[in-house]
Amino acid sequence: MNRSYTVYGRWCALLMAACAGPTSRAAGADERADVLLAKTKAVYRAASSLSASQSTTTIRAGRSTTQTAVLRLRRPNLVHIEITAPQKITLMSDGRNACRLMENNRIVKQTTDQDLREAEVVSGLPGTLFFGHDSYGFGSLSDPNAQKRYTGKEILDGVDYDVVTITVSTPPTHTMKLFIGRDGLVARSQAEVSTQGETVKLTSDWKRQRLDSIPAASFAVTPPNSAGQVQFPADETATNLIAVGKQAPSFSIPAAGGGVVSLADAMRTHTAALLNFWIVDSNACRDELPHVERLYMDLSGKGLEVIAINDRDPTEKIKRAISENKLTFTIGRPRLRSAIFKRYGVHAYPTNYVVDSKGKVVFRCVGFDDAGIKKALAQLGVK
């Protein structure tokens, strides 16, 4: 794999350690901070398009790196982002087709959902607010544990900005200052994040932000003719999955609703299990949840157990998704970034396995293959 892309991936992984929860007024919030943040959310979410130049400087273990990018975003999922440093990568999505143009002039095809998720990571808070989320990479504006305070005005480049300081004392503990202009746009964020025994400082600036309408035609996926194409098969992300006929790795993990869920216990009392690996902010995962719930309601009395596993999102964020989607099947919640996704070879979301009563894999897929899952279950007598 291209080394620069590996660095880019690690950078994305750091920022995607999201910590979100249900909307709640924290005890330390003040009214002016609430008003400013509400205005900021409303401004970005009312826009049909967003363009800006962005730079993020990260200081970690005494070393400083800076990423710069030029962003163009349009609802619902159109993306054109040119990352110019530390490596050159272009993310493109026209809503149907998506790809990543690498520094070595190679094209990697990907789904629009993958492109959108990477776009939110790179563009930071303006991008995530624009696409309807509250995340700022390592936290959330709706985190009930956050203390939000208006801390006065500061000057950037000769312009006065209102500053809201957000402090979170639960992991990952952090303090972040948001510089909000009179127009409600965020011009800068300064954060200090403590996680896994180290402190990371991040400063992000967004300049030349415009909310003018950008024509959809300008997001056409048109890589240069000189670029070499990397043709991955449709199930490229499935190459690391456990093979059909192999034993599914055993696990015993906390359940989001309390207690413990284990594969061995499930298979002692059920004919088959659907193991679903998911994350909250994936559009594909959000789309599949009603189908998984319907499948569970139809077949749980006929021998099916469903265990949906999420080790990427904080518990409160998962509980909010459970409540919003009225989910009744079991949600497994291991510790953040546990080994279970790796043990099951999961690199894309959602990923699904059908396992028989002996714990053997009889079907697996990346995405939600409703027909394939039902066929595999029927062959086990669950129909």
Side-chain angles (χ1 to χ4, degrees):
M1 179 179 289
N2 180 284
R3 183 178 182 275
S4 65
Y5 178 54
T6 302
V7 173
Y8 167 67
R10 290 172 180 167
W11 182 86
C12 284
L14 169 67
L15 288 186
M16 289 307 296
C19 178
T23 302
S24 174
R25 181 177 173 86
D30 65 45
E31 186 174 353
R32 189 160 185 184
D34 285 347
V35 169
L36 285 166
L37 293 175
K39 178 181 178 181
T40 293
K41 291 181 186 181
V43 167
Y44 283 111
R45 290 174 183 175
S48 62
S49 303
L50 169 66
S51 61
S53 61
Q54 176 261 9
S55 70
T56 296
T57 298
T58 304
I59 301 175
R60 185 177 188 180
R63 299 182 62 184
S64 175
T65 59
T66 299
Q67 174 195 270
T68 58
V70 178
L71 322 169
R72 288 194 298 117
L73 310 173
R74 178 185 166 104
R75 298 184 192 279
N77 55 2
L78 279 66
V79 171
H80 189 100
I81 296 181
E82 295 181 20
I83 303 171
T84 53
Q87 58 273 325
K88 294 182 179 180
I89 298 172
T90 302
L91 303 175
M92 293 177 276
S93 171
D94 62 9
R96 297 179 303 277
N97 305 297
C99 72
R100 186 191 307 115
L101 179 63
M102 305 301 295
E103 190 172 41
N104 59 2
N105 211 30
R106 303 285 281 177
I107 300 170
V108 176
K109 287 188 173 182
Q110 57 187 30
T111 66
T112 54
D113 186 64
Q114 290 171 323
D115 216 57
L116 187 62
R117 187 166 174 81
E118 289 188 25
E120 291 182 358
V121 172
V122 174
S123 58
L125 185 59
T128 53
L129 288 177
F130 174 76
F131 283 120
H133 305 139
D134 285 356
S135 172
Y136 48 81
F138 40 85
S140 169
L141 298 182
S142 56
D143 185 348
N145 297 307
Q147 292 188 335
K148 304 161 190 173
R149 295 176 293 113
Y150 175 71
T151 50
K153 291 184 178 290
E154 293 192 33
I155 297 175
L156 294 177
D157 299 325
V159 179
D160 283 346
Y161 290 90
D162 288 307
V163 179
V164 173
T165 299
I166 301 172
T167 303
V168 177
S169 57
T170 55
T173 59
H174 61 274
T175 298
M176 184 173 71
K177 293 168 64 175
L178 296 179
F179 294 71
I180 301 173
R182 294 180 182 179
D183 54 7
L185 301 180
V186 178
R188 170 178 289 182
S189 69
Q190 291 178 328
E192 187 168 305
V193 188
S194 297
T195 180
Q196 296 180 342
E198 68 174 351
T199 298
V200 180
K201 296 181 179 180
L202 303 101
T203 299
S204 296
D205 288 290
W206 296 274
K207 296 183 178 180
R208 295 183 290 279
Q209 293 188 67
R210 297 178 65 93
L211 304 180
D212 301 342
S213 180
I214 304 174
S218 68
F219 290 90
V221 177
T222 55
N225 293 331
S226 60
Q229 195 163 25
V230 180
Q231 290 282 2
F232 289 125
D235 64 346
E236 177 266 335
T237 51
T239 55
N240 294 311
L241 298 184
I242 299 165
V244 170
K246 296 292 185 180
Q247 199 73 20
S250 61
F251 59 80
S252 181
I253 56 178
V260 173
V261 57
S262 84
L263 181 60
D265 287 346
M267 299 333 301
R268 272 195 287 269
T269 55
H270 295 83
T271 305
L274 174 64
L275 307 181
N276 171 263
F277 295 83
W278 67 294
I279 56 176
V280 172
D281 287 333
S282 162
N283 291 332
C285 291
R286 287 196 293 269
D287 290 343
E288 76 156 359
L289 288 176
H291 298 285
V292 176
E293 176 65 21
R294 190 175 303 115
L295 189 70
Y296 177 69
M297 295 299 291
D298 289 345
L299 299 178
S300 59
K302 300 178 181 180
L304 175 66
E305 173 67 309
V306 173
I307 304 173
I309 301 170
N310 182 328
D311 74 349
R312 281 357 189 208
D313 295 306
T315 301
E316 289 305 317
K317 189 171 185 177
I318 294 172
K319 287 183 176 179
R320 183 182 180 185
I322 293 171
S323 176
E324 289 176 348
N325 291 280
K326 298 179 174 59
L327 305 179
T328 59
F329 51 81
T330 302
I331 307 289
R333 174 62 182 92
R335 62 179 175 80
L336 279 172
R337 303 283 169 178
S338 70
I340 191 166
F341 273 48
K342 184 176 181 180
R343 292 173 65 201
Y344 275 83
V346 176
H347 295 284
Y349 320 108
T351 292
N352 288 278
Y353 285 91
V354 176
V355 178
D356 69 13
S357 61
K358 296 180 180 179
K360 288 187 178 181
V361 174
V362 298
F363 180 80
R364 84 276 170 86
C365 63
V366 175
F368 188 74
D369 181 352
D370 189 52
I373 290 171
K374 288 179 177 177
K375 181 179 179 180
L377 292 173
Q379 289 172 345
L380 297 175
V382 180
K383 54 185 177 180

